[in-house]
Amino acid sequence: MEGHKFVLVFVLLALASSFASASDPSPLQDFCVAINETDGVFVNGKFCKDPAQVTENDFFYAGLNMPRDNSSPVGSKVTPVNVAQIAGLNTLGISFARIDYAPYGGLNPPHTHPRASEILVVVEGTLYVGFVTSNLANGDNRLITKVLNPGDVFVFPIGLIHFQFNVGKTNAVAFASLSSQNPGVITIANAVFGADPPIKPDVLAKAFQVDKKTVDYLQKQFWTDNN
């Protein structure tokens, strides 16, 4: 069974390679293994290690087959594999993630990736997934959803709010590939109510059409979680 799961993951990677250039610029050499030294200079990406000093470990990450603790407040755990974990991903325009979901409602909450599209494959459990479009001609934001079972694949377009929710009675696991070495993530509730410094309650109360007491409660909860 484990072998079948990882075959699906490899298929996912193959599919993802076709859109890997959709976000990040194309590389100008075989590879540009990232280094953290900047000498006070910052670039769009990472500086390159001397190619003569590159080793196989610069392109390697172990342990993605191991279950993660999904007992967070939202019932999920995302394990990213981006340029921060594999330095060799620098300039290659692709990254990866494992998501573990608790049974009975484990949630990867509504969020966006500002720099990447995402393709997700379910290997265990049943997920209710979806994304919300930007404003349509009539001003609406359309919700597009699907229930996924093992072996099913779903795509989340770049920058759109999306989520995954475990509707099953057992743990669920999915793997995702993203079209950027550093996709970024903005979790909507955390960003809005947990911003540092906080967004003025008057702004949020008017935007969400709720009273300031509700905003104060949410800001205290999310600001504590984030900070």
Side-chain angles (χ1 to χ4, degrees):
M1 184 64 183
E2 289 295 324
H4 291 302
K5 292 176 185 175
F6 282 94
V7 167
L8 288 171
V9 173
F10 292 138
V11 170
L12 170 64
L13 283 171
L15 290 170
S17 67
S18 65
F19 64 80
S21 62
S23 178
D24 293 356
S26 297
L28 300 178
Q29 60 277 318
D30 286 346
F31 49 78
C32 173
V33 173
I35 55 174
N36 292 322
E37 292 84 355
T38 66
D39 292 327
V41 178
F42 296 90
V43 297
N44 185 26
K46 299 278 189 179
F47 285 105
C48 304
K49 177 189 283 190
D50 180 349
Q53 303 300 316
V54 168
T55 72
E56 66 278 5
N57 288 328
D58 292 317
F59 303 93
F60 176 76
Y61 179 91
L64 213 57
N65 61 315
M66 300 298 295
R68 265 53 176 186
D69 181 6
N70 57 25
S71 63
S72 68
V74 294
S76 71
K77 173 65 176 178
V78 178
T79 304
V81 184
N82 56 43
V83 70
Q85 287 76 39
I86 300 181
L89 285 175
N90 191 40
T91 75
L92 298 186
I94 195 169
S95 58
F96 201 61
R98 172 184 173 127
I99 311 101
D100 290 80
Y101 311 84
Y104 299 104
L107 172 69
N108 189 11
H111 63 282
T112 75
H113 301 294
R115 295 180 289 275
S117 296
E118 175 180 348
I119 184 167
L120 178 128
V121 60
V122 177
V123 295
E124 290 182 22
T126 303
L127 297 178
Y128 167 69
V129 308
F131 64 86
V132 180
T133 69
S134 58
N135 292 352
L136 302 176
N138 62 2
D140 291 343
N141 299 97
R142 183 182 174 197
L143 174 63
I144 296 175
T145 65
K146 185 75 174 174
V147 174
L148 305 181
N149 296 298
D152 291 343
V153 175
F154 198 80
V155 173
F156 304 106
I158 185 171
L160 298 187
I161 296 172
H162 60 283
F163 61 87
Q164 302 104 39
F165 184 70
N166 186 359
V167 293
K169 299 177 182 179
T170 63
N171 288 325
V173 179
F175 290 90
S177 188
L178 301 104
S179 60
S180 173
Q181 68 179 43
N182 182 24
V185 61
I186 302 170
T187 304
I188 306 306
N190 300 60
V192 171
F193 296 107
D196 184 16
I199 299 172
K200 288 184 179 296
D202 289 340
V203 173
L204 298 180
K206 193 161 189 177
F208 288 93
Q209 296 294 287
V210 297
D211 57 56
K212 287 178 63 177
K213 185 178 294 186
T214 301
V215 172
D216 289 340
Y217 168 78
L218 290 169
Q219 285 190 314
K220 286 177 182 177
Q221 179 174 335
F222 283 96
W223 199 89
T224 300
D225 289 345
N226 290 354
N227 301 277

